[in-house]
Amino acid sequence: MSSFLRFRHVDKTFVRPDGTREPVLRDFSLDVSPGELVALVGPSGIGKSTLLHLVAGLERPDAGTVEIESAHPDPRVGMVFQQPRLFDWLDVADNIAVAVKAASADIKRARQMLSAVGLAGHAGAYPLSLSGGQRQRVALARAFAIQPDIVLLDEPFSALDELTARRLRLLLQELWRDQEPSGLLVTHNTLEAAFLADRVVVLAGKPARIERIIDVRDTRPRDAESPLFFDLHREILAMLERGAI
Amino acid sequence: MTLLSERLLARRARRTASRAAVAALLARLAPALLVCALVAAAWQVMAARWASPLVPGLADIGAELKAITLSGDAAVQIGTTLGRIVLGMALAFVAAFAVGLASARNRFARAFFEPALLLGLTVPGLVWALLCVIWFGLSLRTSVVAIAVGVAPALAITIAQGIEAVDPQLVEAAHVFRLSFADRLRYLWLPATLPFLLGGLRLGFSLAWKVVVLVEVFGLSTGVGYALNSAFISQNVAAVIAWTVAFAAVVAVIEYGLFQVVERRLTRWKRRALV
């Protein structure tokens, strides 16, 4: 895949209901290379999710541009949220099919992705009859079924128990290896950031600036138990703790 | 031998099964039937106390009911009225959904439609009935337009509330995955607002019935309203009540046989509370 993502001199200011202006991003620039997953870490409210919303089209930059380079005339953006955000009244297969149809991707992909996330036997199940982990698997399947140029992950595993989260991180890694989209991962879990991402971007300040960029020098598939990730995890955590003081 | 006994057994099993189904239905309807019986009994007591032709007893009402049913008159007139209601409601639903969706999603649309909706809520159905008879004369259009205008404001306000209650997280997800307007309507707005839609349709149905009867009384020569007016002119109180009861019975069949069945089918996905 030759798709990639560029933030160029992006400004974004929120206006609170009482009229006070809160600059979130000022002259923010970042490149995400083809096939690369960039993790965004930093304190709550610093604007990590805003960056995802700008890519997803949920918000517009006040100035600057967000460019997506894609082979399709209309770039395809898949997103996985903290909550599954499925249509509870549609069965699992239809939840995925709706997104596939909207992206005019190959409809066969819906069923293939269902197998890929290990839910082939649950195609006709309604989301509320599934466990939280299974629902998040459906959300992953939906994001990857559209053959995305960009995948946005907004704390995708933070609402799950650690055992389920571990399994889904490995699943995400498989999907990434398979399709190689470009993407952003917002997370508060620094170990997760180190294990999943190719680069970890540490954000700080208000408006947010890039405090540091850490390269994770490891190819996929990765071993979750590798000491490399634990070292990086400690390094990033220490950085965040210093920034918090 | 074996075949015969098997057939007998199967027939008995079928009979038991159908008897069980009838018993289950009766058990489900028992509270509703109980309240009907209580009202009828109270009415009978009142009729006996008054002993006036203006308060006919159950026997007189029953006789009228039997007469209009057996003559086929009830089926024809109620069918005619229901047809007008269905057409008027369909028109009201389309308009109300468009206005409700726009009002809930757009601040300008809300400010634009709000005064009209409030005015529409305030105007009595009688006024619409009169105006439509004057404007459109004795035609199907009269009843359909009067019903639509009479029902649409309440329906639109209910639908707008339903749209506002839709989880914004799902609205965002639909936006991110670029669902077309038609798909959002089909997969998000309609199913997500279903409880409000059914509630609005029930409310609308009761309003529509009141409007259409007025139109029929004033300007049409068919329908339940016309039959009620004929009974009124001949001072036949039993017939007025019989027509009302007959229509109520049809409404009950629609509620239990259609609305509730549709509702159950469309809410299969819901998780019921354990307690």
Side-chain angles (χ1 to χ4, degrees), chain B residues 204-229:
Chain B
F205 195 79
S206 65
L207 288 173
W209 155 244
K210 284 162 194 158
V211 173
V212 77
V213 164
L214 286 170
V215 174
E216 288 168 351
V217 165
F218 290 132
L220 297 177
S221 52
T222 49
V224 178
Y226 167 74
L228 281 171
N229 200 29

Side-chain angles (χ1 to χ4, degrees), chain A residues 57-58 74-75 79 85-90 98-99 101-102 126 142, chain B residues 169-170 172-173 175-179 183 187-188 191-192 268-269 271:
Chain A
L58 292 172
D74 224 0
M79 191 159 181
R85 302 202 192 186
L86 303 174
F87 295 149
D88 288 336
W89 41 86
L90 297 181
V98 166
K101 188 180 146 211
Y126 288 105
R142 176 173 65 179
Chain B
Q169 295 202 339
L170 289 184
E172 288 173 8
H175 182 91
V176 173
F177 284 98
R178 296 172 189 233
L179 266 60
D183 279 356
Y187 300 118
L188 177 64
R268 269 175 313 175
W269 55 271
R271 193 185 162 281

Side-chain angles (χ1 to χ4, degrees), chain A:
Chain A
M1 288 260 179
S2 60
S3 55
F4 52 95
L5 174 64
R6 279 197 214 101
F7 294 90
R8 282 273 176 278
H9 311 294
V10 170
D11 286 0
K12 182 73 190 172
T13 299
F14 285 131
V15 182
R16 289 226 194 87
D18 63 8
T20 52
R21 299 170 63 80
E22 188 187 339
V24 179
L25 300 168
R26 175 75 28 89
D27 196 28
F28 183 91
S29 296
L30 177 70
D31 281 17
V32 180
S33 314
E36 186 186 34
L37 177 56
V38 171
L40 303 169
V41 300
S44 296
I46 196 155
K48 304 184 293 291
S49 290
T50 303
L51 287 167
L52 298 200
H53 293 169
L54 289 169
V55 181
L58 292 172
E59 291 177 64
R60 285 176 206 291
D62 299 331
T65 55
V66 179
E67 299 162 22
I68 300 173
E69 189 84 18
S70 161
H72 310 289
D74 224 0
R76 295 170 179 171
V77 179
M79 191 159 181
V80 182
F81 307 89
Q82 188 175 16
Q83 303 300 328
R85 302 202 192 186
L86 303 174
F87 295 149
D88 288 336
W89 41 86
L90 297 181
D91 68 26
V92 163
D94 281 347
N95 259 289
I96 301 170
V98 166
V100 172
K101 188 180 146 211
S104 8
D106 184 358
I107 196 71
K108 283 198 293 273
R109 304 263 314 157
R111 212 150 273 272
Q112 288 167 6
M113 282 312 301
L114 215 45
S115 307
V117 300
L119 287 176
H122 291 77
Y126 288 105
L128 294 187
S129 70
L130 302 176
S131 70
Q134 287 173 320
R135 268 180 256 171
Q136 204 60 337
R137 280 176 193 266
V138 178
L140 275 171
R142 176 173 65 179
F144 281 88
I146 64 172
Q147 293 173 296
D149 299 303
I150 306 291
V151 172
L152 305 171
L153 303 148
D154 197 354
E155 301 191 48
F157 310 125
S158 64
L160 302 172
D161 65 90
E162 183 49 29
L163 201 62
T164 307
R166 273 173 78 101
R167 293 202 187 111
L168 288 192
R169 278 179 211 123
L170 291 172
L171 174 63
L172 174 65
Q173 178 178 249
E174 282 308 307
L175 296 172
W176 210 275
R177 237 158 57 87
D178 206 39
Q179 297 203 26
E180 297 195 311
S182 306
L184 293 172
L185 164 71
V186 167
T187 179
H188 286 283
N189 181 334
T190 48
L191 183 58
E192 173 176 288
F195 171 59
L196 286 173
D198 299 290
R199 279 187 298 159
V200 179
V201 171
V202 182
L203 299 173
K206 204 157 230 24
R209 60 171 194 284
I210 295 178
E211 180 75 14
R212 255 188 77 184
I213 297 181
I214 295 150
D215 283 308
V216 184
R217 297 175 202 283
D218 195 8
T219 51
R220 296 190 180 91
R222 293 171 173 180
D223 172 13
E225 302 307 320
S226 159
L228 169 70
F229 305 127
F230 289 90
D231 291 343
L232 285 171
H233 157 61
R234 274 188 291 273
E235 185 186 338
I236 302 163
L237 206 55
M239 214 177 302
L240 289 173
E241 276 178 342
R242 272 201 307 279
I245 294 167

Side-chain angles (χ1 to χ4, degrees), chain B residues 55-209:
Chain B
V55 187
L58 289 184
D60 295 337
I61 299 172
E64 278 294 341
L65 205 50
K66 199 172 155 194
I68 61 173
T69 313
L70 289 184
S71 67
D73 210 18
V76 171
Q77 306 297 6
I78 291 175
T80 305
T81 298
L82 274 182
R84 290 171 181 150
I85 291 180
V86 168
L87 283 177
M89 291 276 288
L91 190 61
F93 182 80
V94 173
F97 200 89
V99 170
L101 181 60
S103 301
R105 297 284 296 154
N106 182 297
R107 221 175 299 162
F108 175 80
R110 159 175 297 240
F112 182 81
F113 288 121
E114 207 163 42
L117 290 180
L118 289 177
L119 184 72
L121 272 188
T122 328
V123 174
L126 175 65
V127 173
W128 299 126
L130 285 173
L131 286 177
C132 286
V133 169
I134 294 167
W135 287 335
F136 304 120
L138 310 179
S139 70
L140 178 65
R141 233 186 329 170
T142 307
S143 49
V144 171
V145 172
I147 291 169
V149 178
V151 169
L155 202 51
I157 288 172
T158 311
I159 290 171
Q161 281 172 344
I163 301 274
E164 273 167 25
V166 174
D167 184 355
Q169 295 202 339
L170 289 184
V171 182
E172 288 173 8
H175 182 91
V176 173
F177 284 98
R178 296 172 189 233
L179 266 60
S180 66
F181 179 71
D183 279 356
R184 264 180 285 168
L185 211 53
R186 183 168 162 202
Y187 300 118
L188 177 64
W189 298 121
L190 284 171
T193 54
L194 187 77
F196 289 85
L197 295 184
L198 288 174
L201 285 177
R202 283 196 180 108
L203 175 71
F205 195 79
S206 65
L207 288 173
W209 155 244

